[in-house]
Amino acid sequence: MSNQESEFPLVNKQAACTVLGHHTEYGKIGSLIQTTFDIAPHLASNPAAVPTTSRVLLGESMGTQYELYSLYATSIAQAVAAMNPHEKRSLLLGIALKPTDSMQEQKQVFHCVIDLVMAHTVW
């Protein structure tokens, strides 16, 4: 065993914001989703639209919240691919959002969260 210290190879960031008067669930996972690229982004004709596959590792795996969380994970993975077409690592997304039936509220929250993620890149 070596006495040398090595840096852990996984980089993560946590962020929270207030959306529609509600503070996002900072520090909570809620659901943990893994999203992988179906093909290498640099081989896709448009890396920003590379096909992905998502699966729930923890939390709700059916219903509207699952569909919404899959949309978040796919959108973030495709944004990563657009910025770095040679990225091949899986995306792990821990997310917990208050459910809402309002499509307008869902869109506002979606844009806020995506903007927050893009402002705190680790790739």
Side-chain angles (χ1 to χ4, degrees):
M1 204 126 180
S2 168
N3 288 338
Q4 292 179 328
E5 288 186 31
S6 63
E7 190 174 312
F8 189 67
L10 178 67
V11 178
N12 76 25
K13 287 190 181 178
Q14 293 184 7
C17 65
T18 301
V19 182
L20 302 171
H22 298 283
H23 191 71
T24 59
E25 304 266 355
Y26 179 74
K28 292 188 178 184
I29 292 176
S31 289
L32 185 63
I33 300 173
Q34 178 185 28
T35 299
T36 56
F37 298 113
D38 293 345
I39 62 170
H42 70 279
L43 298 177
S45 59
N46 180 4
V50 66
T52 63
T53 299
S54 295
R55 69 182 189 140
V56 174
L57 303 177
L58 176 74
E60 206 174 315
S61 62
M62 294 175 20
T64 56
Q65 277 303 90
Y66 164 73
E67 292 169 6
L68 188 60
Y69 291 169
S70 292
L71 174 64
Y72 277 86
T74 297
S75 297
I76 293 167
Q78 289 174 336
V80 169
M83 288 190 247
N84 183 2
H86 292 282
E87 182 62 71
K88 54 188 170 193
R89 294 175 293 177
S90 297
L91 170 79
L92 289 176
L93 175 66
I95 188 167
L97 298 173
K98 182 178 178 183
T100 178
D101 291 329
S102 167
M103 185 60 73
Q104 184 62 31
E105 285 183 12
Q106 287 179 3
K107 286 180 183 179
Q108 286 180 304
V109 172
F110 177 82
H111 290 294
C112 180
V113 170
I114 297 299
D115 290 347
L116 191 62
V117 168
M118 294 302 120
H120 297 88
T121 60
V122 294
W123 51 90

